[in-house]
């Protein structure tokens, strides 16, 4: 699949999401951060906002659910139009059943891991998934500092994914910028979320391009 850049709209202008999405036509996906004030100490948006944006944006939507009880709520995000739905494995009661349900409804199924959650216990789940998201900050807020302590887990996730041979994407999220993306790519990530780096830039589309080129230069070297 190669490198994919999936900008987070968390730091975009929430009053103008359609216009903000149109500023980054080269983005592969729009990463939408759903927070419920239970799983994380912040509250953002839900399925109705994703449904509205999916109807007007040219890019598909990558919904990152930082919510309690994803078993109950995740399927409604597929119905709302998300092309990829990521649930946190720490919050899922039955991740295999949930991943199958997301796929059966027609979206890509993805599992996210907080910085302190190891990947090894979930190795056998990988064939049920289309993507693994390794968080590189504690989830809840944009603009936090990248946690280098997550790099070894990205490497281990890459090894496990390669062993399954299923072609899962490996996404990183949190503090990804021109300064940190090389480390992530070197460790084996191929799908990059960047919020403040993209929407804090004068030219978000140029930043998407630069992030892609920087990551690609590492993975091809
Ligand atoms: C954090 C979110 C991230 C965040 C990324 O909980 O999941 O998607 O918005 O923003 P930056 O790139 O600013 O860390
Ligand atoms: Zn996110």
């Amino acid at each position: 699949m190669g490198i994919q850049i999936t900008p987070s709209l968390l730091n975009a202008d929430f009053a103008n999401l359609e216009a903000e999405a149109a500023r980054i036509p080269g983005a592969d996906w729009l990463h939408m951060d759903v927070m419920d004030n239970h799983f994380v100490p912040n509250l953002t948006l839900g399925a109705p906002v994703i449904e509205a944006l999916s109807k007007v944006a040219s890019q598909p939507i990558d919904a990152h659910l930082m919510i309690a009880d994803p078993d109950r709520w995740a399927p409604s995000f597929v119905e709302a139009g998300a092309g990829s739905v990521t649930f946190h494995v720490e919050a899922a009661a039955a991740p295999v059943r949930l991943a199958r349900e997301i796929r059966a409804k027609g979206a890509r199924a993805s599992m996210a891991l907080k910085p302190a959650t190891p990947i090894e216990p979930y190795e056998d789940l990988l064939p049920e998934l289309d993507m693994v998201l390794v968080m590189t900050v504690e989830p809840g807020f944009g603009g936090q500092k990248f946690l280098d302590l997550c790099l070894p887990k990205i490497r281990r996730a890459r090894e496990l994914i390669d062993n399954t041979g299923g072609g899962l994407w490996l996404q990183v999220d949190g503090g990804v910028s021109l300064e940190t993306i090389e480390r992530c790519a070197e460790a084996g990530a191929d799908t990059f979320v960047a919020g403040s780096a993209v929407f804090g830039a004068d030219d978000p589309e140029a930043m998407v391009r630069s992030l892609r080129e920087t990551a690609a230069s590492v993975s091809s070297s």
Side-chain angles (χ1 to χ4, degrees):
M1 189 64 206
I3 301 295
Q4 298 195 84
I5 306 296
T6 63
S8 162
L9 290 165
L10 189 58
N11 278 53
D13 179 359
F14 269 23
N16 293 291
L17 288 176
E18 179 180 4
E20 292 287 70
R23 293 173 77 197
I24 47 169
D28 296 286
W29 295 78
L30 300 174
H31 181 91
M32 299 290 284
D33 289 301
V34 178
M35 306 188 189
D36 68 349
N37 214 15
H38 292 277
F39 183 71
V40 289
N42 197 0
L43 185 64
T44 55
L45 51 88
V49 174
I50 287 183
E51 185 171 5
L53 188 61
S54 73
K55 287 181 179 149
V56 295
S58 62
Q59 310 93 327
I61 291 183
D62 169 35
H64 176 192
L65 308 184
M66 287 159 277
I67 61 173
D69 203 3
D71 303 70
R72 175 172 176 195
W73 298 108
S76 63
F77 287 84
V78 187
E79 287 156 18
S84 175
V85 175
T86 300
F87 59 85
H88 269 269
V89 75
E90 303 90 351
V96 174
R97 185 170 62 211
L98 181 54
R100 289 184 180 182
E101 198 177 341
I102 291 168
R103 280 177 155 182
K105 283 185 173 291
R108 297 175 60 86
S110 160
M111 155 183 97
L113 306 166
K114 298 206 296 186
T117 306
I119 181 144
E120 287 80 358
Y122 305 105
E123 178 178 0
D124 292 344
L125 259 66
L126 296 180
E128 304 288 338
L129 297 165
D130 299 294
M131 184 169 82
V132 173
L133 164 50
V134 174
M135 292 296 305
T136 42
V137 298
E138 288 291 355
F141 303 93
Q144 300 182 77
K145 193 173 167 338
F146 180 85
L147 293 172
D148 280 287
L149 62 86
C150 300
L151 288 167
K153 182 164 54 180
I154 300 172
R155 279 195 195 93
R156 291 195 294 272
R158 168 49 61 198
E159 278 173 28
L160 296 179
I161 286 172
D162 287 348
N163 289 345
T164 69
L168 280 81
W169 300 346
L170 178 51
Q171 188 177 56
V172 285
D173 180 11
V176 174
S177 66
L178 284 178
E179 202 253 314
T180 57
I181 196 168
E182 290 181 295
R183 275 173 264 169
C184 299
E186 264 161 19
D190 54 18
T191 305
F192 303 89
V193 178
S196 47
V198 169
F199 283 98
D202 291 338
D203 183 344
E205 176 71 356
M207 178 56 70
V208 169
R209 253 190 330 267
S210 302
L211 288 165
R212 190 189 303 284
E213 282 161 11
T214 308
S217 70
V218 171
S219 41
S220 61
S221 61

